[in-house]
Amino acid sequence: MRLGRSVWPSRSLRNGRPRTRRFNTVGNFDTLVNLQRSGAAPLRAVEGRTVEPTGARQGRFARGARGYLRTGLPPPTRRQGVHVVIMGCGRVGASLAAALERLGHEVAVIDKNPQAFRRLGHDFHGQQIVGVGFDRQVLIEAGIEEAGAFAAVSSGDNSNIISARVARENFGIEHVVARIYDHKRAAVYERLGIPTVATVPWTTDRFLRTLLPDGVASVWRDPSGNVALLQLPLNEGWVGRSVRDLQDATGARVAFIMRFGNGVLPDNKTMVQADDVVYVAARSGTVSDVTSVAARAPEEEN
């Protein structure tokens, strides 16, 4: 049946095989028929490409679709997101869910308190599942089997680590992270292969970076809170001294040096120059001692 001068069922439609492999979805079959009945101008794609109706839509998005149109245009840009499951809908969980959704990811949030989902707001379009995050059936309902990442950010350390281990070990989720308040526990869980965010040390560092004007606070800390990376203010007396002398005096490890805007990976023979910005790695409990030694002029060798 001819629908118009420029729109008609193709041979590929009659044979049941598509003529080309990649098409753009631009409408549905009912829209095309209504336009033709109203006497509207025939539908044309860009650069004279014709538009042809196809049969029933296939795939996971096919439910309820009678048909759609195919053109020679490139497919529309689709958000390349992943499905992320979040356990805990507190302030952190709700903020994380909103941020992930803004970036184009699909999000499912689990919380045992239905009232907690109010924090998500009316603009949230993801799943909201009532239950505990380490329950297998609850995780399956949240889509854990198709998830690419899992975050446990509830207020309980035990619940977070158990659910993170279930997601990693039972469902094979590669990207898993758990929030832990107790930094001593965080070190143990890190050895179990579960990345953790130790809330207390991280928060302390953020306060120090705001309170201290001299940049002594760490710019990075490992999740267990044991190792800190900090920009080290140096006394002018260290200019011309070797990195090895600085490390021996402070007990810290020089990680890299920013010199004239370029990063330098030093060795023991590298000399400290004027205007160098030195970053060192140190154990958390020694940060104050390291910075105080570096702020003084080095002792002269006999």
Side-chain angles (χ1 to χ4, degrees):
M1 178 181 66
R2 191 176 181 87
L3 300 178
R5 291 178 297 173
S6 301
V7 182
W8 64 90
S10 66
R11 179 182 301 176
S12 63
L13 177 62
R14 296 195 299 270
N15 294 338
R17 296 193 302 269
R19 186 173 59 188
T20 57
R21 295 183 179 179
R22 181 178 296 179
F23 296 99
N24 182 24
T25 301
V26 297
N28 57 46
F29 188 85
D30 294 333
T31 302
L32 175 62
V33 173
N34 292 335
L35 287 173
Q36 294 299 319
R37 288 175 177 174
S38 64
L43 295 177
R44 289 182 180 271
V46 178
E47 297 180 358
R49 296 186 180 92
T50 58
V51 182
E52 59 181 25
T54 70
R57 200 170 178 182
Q58 303 296 323
R60 59 180 295 191
F61 303 102
R63 288 178 292 183
R66 292 187 56 187
Y68 60 102
L69 303 180
R70 287 177 171 172
T71 75
L73 295 175
T77 302
R78 297 181 61 185
R79 297 182 296 185
Q80 300 298 321
V82 298
H83 184 62
V84 182
V85 178
I86 300 174
M87 190 200 80
C89 194
R91 294 182 179 90
V92 175
S95 177
L96 180 61
L100 287 169
E101 196 169 61
R102 284 196 301 269
L103 294 174
H105 302 289
E106 297 179 356
V107 184
V109 182
I110 302 172
D111 200 288
K112 60 183 179 181
N113 181 12
Q115 302 300 323
F117 297 122
R118 293 181 177 180
R119 297 188 179 96
L120 295 172
H122 300 291
D123 297 333
F124 181 73
H125 303 290
Q127 294 177 264
Q128 303 173 23
I129 297 93
V130 179
V132 293
F134 48 83
D135 184 274
R136 180 181 179 87
Q137 193 58 41
V138 172
L139 288 171
I140 292 176
E141 184 180 350
I144 191 68
E145 294 172 315
E146 294 81 26
F150 178 84
V153 293
S154 73
S155 58
D157 285 3
N158 292 334
S159 298
N160 287 342
I161 199 61
I162 292 173
S163 60
R165 293 193 65 180
V166 171
R168 169 68 63 81
E169 298 171 9
N170 291 13
F171 294 97
I173 305 301
E174 181 179 357
H175 300 287
V176 175
V177 65
R179 181 177 70 168
I180 303 297
Y181 287 95
D182 188 343
H183 67 278
K184 296 181 180 179
R185 286 186 178 184
V188 176
Y189 298 145
E190 283 284 336
R191 290 195 289 269
L192 295 176
I194 302 296
T196 60
V197 175
T199 305
V200 174
W202 183 87
T203 305
T204 302
D205 279 342
R206 296 292 295 182
F207 272 107
L208 288 174
R209 293 179 64 181
T210 303
L211 293 172
L212 300 179
D214 54 4
V216 172
S218 61
V219 296
W220 178 87
R221 184 185 290 270
D222 80 299
S224 68
N226 291 328
V227 178
L229 179 67
L230 58 141
Q231 179 182 332
L232 190 63
L234 292 177
N235 185 284
E236 294 180 356
W238 287 103
V239 175
R241 302 295 291 265
S242 68
V243 166
R244 180 175 182 177
D245 293 340
L246 179 61
Q247 293 181 149
D248 291 343
T250 61
R253 181 77 57 84
V254 176
F256 64 96
I257 298 174
M258 291 301 297
R259 179 173 293 169
F260 304 116
N262 296 317
V264 177
L265 293 177
D267 55 30
N268 288 337
K269 298 180 181 179
T270 302
M271 307 301 291
V272 178
Q273 299 182 11
D275 299 324
D276 277 354
V277 180
V278 179
Y279 289 84
V280 300
R283 295 187 63 84
S284 295
T286 65
V287 170
S288 298
D289 295 335
V290 169
T291 54
S292 62
V293 171
R296 299 193 301 265
E299 298 180 358
E300 296 295 333
E301 298 180 357
N302 295 330

